[in-house]
Amino acid sequence: KLLRQSFDSLDETHVGAFTRDSLQQLFRKSSIKVTDEELESLVESLTVINHNKKTVTFDDFFHAIAEDDVLV
């Protein structure tokens, strides 16, 4: 449930996915400093191409966290 809540906080438009910009806003709100390169690397490790727009779905997010592919 906590993982879903975390995902939903990034999916502000409630479309079932979030973008690099959403993730960047979260880091800024949390006062977490991350370089453009670090952010891009994180997003690339999570993203799928969806209608020509890079987005992260809940399944991508869940699998990355469950498999320890992404450490923030």
Side-chain angles (χ1 to χ4, degrees):
K1 187 174 180 175
L2 181 60
L3 192 58
R4 184 67 199 199
Q5 289 173 337
S6 297
F7 177 84
D8 288 344
S9 72
L10 291 167
D11 180 18
E12 295 176 343
T13 57
H14 308 292
V15 296
F18 65 86
T19 65
R20 177 189 188 281
D21 292 339
S22 298
L23 192 56
Q24 186 174 38
Q25 288 175 13
L26 174 70
F27 285 135
R28 284 186 183 149
K29 288 178 186 176
S30 302
S31 299
I32 298 171
K33 293 183 181 184
V34 61
T35 66
D36 286 338
E37 293 81 17
E38 291 169 328
L39 182 62
E40 193 61 34
S41 177
L42 176 59
V43 172
E44 285 297 320
S45 69
L46 291 170
T47 56
V48 295
I49 303 299
N50 184 8
H51 303 290
N52 295 322
K53 184 175 182 181
K54 290 184 179 179
T55 59
V56 179
T57 65
F58 179 73
D59 286 342
D60 298 326
F61 185 71
F62 176 81
H63 290 294
I65 299 300
E67 296 173 5
D68 281 335
D69 287 340
V70 178
L71 299 175
V72 180

